[in-house]
């Protein structure tokens, strides 16, 4: 959060560590649920994957700009689109470069659904037919066709 502040962003909710944790949790690293506004889309807080309860809110003028901001990242594990129109939400979701994406709360994880990322979020898939395929050994066999006269 300190870096986000130095980069000009504002922490509007949370941003600190929890106080008064039970002894058995005292050695861990816990952060309060945090909402950040005013971040530059190119800043570290907006670009890096944060595995915790941290939300960076980035405004946009239209769907094209929203997609541009979402795709301007080195990562692409998962995402979400919320829209008053399912058709509009699906159209935006198709354009975002992530391995999985939910629209209006849709859950994309299950044993039958391939899961994995794009770009620096990983290569390959787990689950689904695509995940099963990585455990198979394929072989190409070539033979010379017989001559016909």
């Amino acid at each position: 959060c300190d870096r986000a502040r130095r980069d000009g962003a504002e922490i509007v909710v949370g941003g600190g560590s929890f106080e008064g944790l039970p002894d058995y949790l005292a050695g861990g690293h816990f952060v309060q649920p945090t909402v950040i506004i005013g971040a530059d889309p190119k800043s570290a807080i907006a670009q890096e994957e944060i595995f915790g309860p941290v939300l960076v809110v980035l405004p946009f003028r239209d769907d094209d700009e929203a997609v541009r901001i979402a795709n301007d990242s080195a990562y692409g594990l998962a995402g979400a689109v919320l829209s008053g129109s399912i058709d509009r939400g699906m159209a935006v979701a198709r354009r975002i470069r992530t391995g999985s994406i939910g629209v209006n709360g849709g859950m994309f994880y299950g044993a039958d659904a391939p899961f994995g990322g794009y770009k620096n979020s990983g290569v390959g898939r787990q689950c689904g037919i695509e995940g099963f395929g990585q455990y198979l050994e394929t072989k190409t066999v070539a033979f010379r066709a017989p001559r016909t006269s």
Side-chain angles (χ1 to χ4, degrees), residues 110-121:
D112 60 338
F115 179 77
Y118 288 4
K119 303 182 261 185
N120 289 349
S121 289

Side-chain angles (χ1 to χ4, degrees), residues 23-90:
D23 289 341
Y24 64 90
L25 294 176
H29 299 282
F30 300 93
V31 64
Q32 295 172 335
T34 302
V35 177
I36 300 170
I37 63 170
D40 183 309
K42 300 268 187 202
S43 68
I45 195 68
Q47 287 289 315
E48 295 176 1
E49 288 183 316
I50 300 169
F51 293 96
V54 177
L55 173 68
V56 180
V57 178
L58 300 172
F60 57 91
R61 286 182 294 279
D62 56 27
D63 293 352
D64 289 338
E65 184 179 17
V67 170
R68 201 168 30 258
I69 290 169
N71 288 338
D72 188 22
S73 170
Y75 302 101
L77 182 58
V81 174
L82 302 174
S83 175
S85 161
I86 190 68
D87 292 335
R88 180 180 178 198
M90 292 295 290

Side-chain angles (χ1 to χ4, degrees), residues 76-131:
L77 182 58
V81 174
L82 302 174
S83 175
S85 161
I86 190 68
D87 292 335
R88 180 180 178 198
M90 292 295 290
V92 169
R94 284 186 202 95
R95 296 170 57 199
I96 295 178
R97 300 263 314 135
T98 59
S100 299
I101 193 158
V103 177
N104 290 348
M107 178 54 75
F108 49 75
Y109 190 81
D112 60 338
F115 179 77
Y118 288 4
K119 303 182 261 185
N120 289 349
S121 289
V123 176
R125 296 291 179 266
Q126 66 186 37
C127 302
I129 298 296
E130 294 80 356

Side-chain angles (χ1 to χ4, degrees), residues 139-146:
K139 181 185 293 190
T140 301
V141 177
F143 63 94
R144 186 173 175 192

